[in-house]
Structure formats: C-alpha cells, structure tokens
Amino acid sequence: MKNLKSIGVEVDKGKHYEEVIYSTILLYNILTNEITAYLKPYDLSPGKLNIMMVVKHKGKDKGISQVEVSKQLIVTPSNMTKMVDKLQKEGIIERFAREGDKRVNVLKITSKGSRLLDDIWEGYNKKLQNLTNNMADEKQKRLLGLLQEWLEAIR
C-alpha cells in the first residue's frame, strides 16, 4: 500500500481497479529492472531474450516467421525488425526468405545464439526463482490463476 501512496494513488477508496492496475505496473517495472540488470553483461534485453527463446523453442530446426514471433510476443513489427536486425548483426539469429514466398522472413537461432541461451539459462532461472522466493508456492499458484483469468478476460 505504501508503494501506491508514494506515486499518488489513493488507497482504500473503493477504487480497487486503480490499485490493481498500478500495483501491476509497479511490479512489472521492478521485475523488468531486475531481469534487465541480469541480462546486461550478456548484451541482451528482455525483448531480445524473448525473441531468442521463441525462435529456438518454437522455430526449432525449420525456423519461424518473423511475423509469427511478433504475434507470440505482442511486439510491433517495427520494434521486432529493430531487435531482429541487432540479433542478426550479432550472429545470434539468422534471417532468410521463405522458400516459395520471398515476402516472408524466417528466423532461426544460430549455434552461437543457442550456446548463449544455454550459458545464461541457469542463472536466469535462478534470478526468476529469487524474485518469487518471498511468496509461498500456494500463493504463487493462486496469483498465477488470477493473472491467467484476468489475461483471458481482457484478451
């Protein structure tokens, strides 16, 4: 509650929707800052990491279209192109035209990108665990259920 008061949100006034939204935004900012700090030494951002994970795990050996990655991650095409350009320049992913339809860009993870994901995964996973350690498993499950229910309702 004091976090919300510090940004000017009036708490306990019956406007639970405001408290939910602003609490979610504050939590998102804290989590993003923590994850960004972890990824910085690897020259990665959360967005780049997410693209790499989708390309590696959804694209597998055959690759995945850039448009499909954009849809999976809810990223605008222009932001997607900028991040893919950087990842390609760094040798982390490769981009090529789909056979039979040159208008479609297909993305594949390179061996360098795959090794990078393997190298950071244990520490990244530990970071995520540490960010949730102060909440019991049962509470995490309840929160997950509520968040998924909310997500489904607004999609």
Side-chain angles (χ1 to χ4, degrees):
M1 294 289 214
K2 79 176 184 180
N3 286 323
L4 292 178
K5 287 181 183 178
S6 73
I7 62 167
V9 176
E10 294 181 358
V11 297
D12 298 326
K13 299 287 184 183
K15 294 182 179 181
H16 302 298
Y17 60 93
E18 281 185 2
E19 294 176 48
V20 168
I21 296 295
Y22 289 115
S23 292
T24 303
I25 291 168
L26 284 171
L27 186 58
Y28 171 81
N29 287 336
I30 291 167
L31 296 174
T32 299
N33 289 340
E34 289 285 330
I35 291 168
T36 298
Y38 174 78
L39 294 172
K40 187 174 181 161
Y42 302 97
D43 197 28
L44 290 175
S45 65
K48 285 167 124 181
L49 176 66
N50 290 338
I51 290 170
M52 291 170 64
M53 289 172 41
V54 170
V55 170
K56 181 175 180 173
H57 298 292
K58 294 271 185 183
K60 302 193 190 292
D61 292 332
K62 66 182 180 353
I64 184 170
S65 80
Q66 189 169 321
V67 170
E68 185 58 32
V69 175
S70 179
K71 287 178 185 176
Q72 292 271 327
L73 298 176
I74 314 169
V75 176
T76 64
S78 64
N79 282 344
M80 182 71 185
T81 299
K82 289 176 193 171
M83 286 191 277
V84 167
D85 286 347
K86 289 177 185 175
L87 289 167
Q88 184 178 16
K89 185 178 178 181
E90 295 164 5
I92 292 173
I93 62 169
E94 56 186 359
R95 175 174 36 194
F96 53 93
R98 177 175 283 155
E99 197 172 311
D101 189 351
K102 303 273 185 232
R103 297 169 298 168
V104 176
N105 285 324
V106 175
L107 306 176
K108 279 187 172 182
I109 192 109
T110 64
S111 57
K112 177 182 177 180
S114 192
R115 280 191 311 274
L116 178 58
L117 280 176
D118 291 345
D119 289 347
I120 69 169
W121 187 254
E122 187 177 333
Y124 177 76
N125 194 44
K126 189 73 162 163
K127 182 68 171 174
L128 298 183
Q129 289 174 358
N130 289 339
L131 288 168
T132 58
N133 274 348
N134 59 349
M135 187 183 295
D137 281 351
E138 198 52 47
K139 285 186 178 182
Q140 288 182 38
K141 289 177 189 174
R142 271 190 305 181
L143 178 58
L144 175 61
L146 291 171
L147 290 172
Q148 288 178 334
E149 183 180 325
W150 185 21
L151 184 59
E152 290 299 317
I154 63 175
R155 274 205 159 163

